[in-house]
Amino acid sequence: NIIPQQITDDISAILAIESAINALSLKDYLATYLKPFKEANILAAIRLKSIEIKNLIAIATGVEQRMPAESIMQRLIILKE
């Protein structure tokens, strides 16, 4: 479910929706990547690498700015079960 339930302001709602869409995309990319002999594997591998780079940038920026670990974790695109 990508629609936030208990968000009070617009910015938090947008961030929650964006996070949910990123998690769903990651799940789809992983599912596509794991299927053998498909043409979409190359695209999925590129998108997964792009997500990995975004996560590394978020970690590096957070460490550089001395942000708490919880704040850095919120910026990561991770697979939510």
Side-chain angles (χ1 to χ4, degrees):
N1 189 6
I2 64 170
I3 299 172
Q5 301 299 322
Q6 299 175 353
I7 304 292
T8 56
D9 59 55
D10 292 341
I11 293 176
S12 296
I14 291 170
L15 291 173
I17 291 171
E18 183 180 18
S19 175
I21 290 172
N22 285 336
L24 286 174
S25 296
L26 177 59
K27 185 176 178 181
D28 288 343
Y29 296 144
L30 282 171
T32 301
Y33 182 74
L34 296 175
K35 292 179 184 174
F37 308 114
K38 297 286 183 180
E39 297 82 16
N41 285 19
I42 296 170
L43 179 60
I46 291 170
R47 294 299 299 156
L48 288 170
K49 189 57 71 174
S50 172
I51 290 171
E52 182 180 4
I53 291 168
K54 287 179 184 179
N55 284 344
L56 289 172
I57 290 170
I59 292 168
T61 303
V63 169
E64 180 182 46
Q65 294 179 0
R66 293 180 168 74
M67 296 172 66
E70 296 81 25
S71 297
I72 295 172
M73 289 297 294
Q74 289 176 351
R75 296 175 185 260
L76 299 180
I77 301 171
I78 55 175
L79 186 61
K80 297 177 183 174
E81 298 186 31

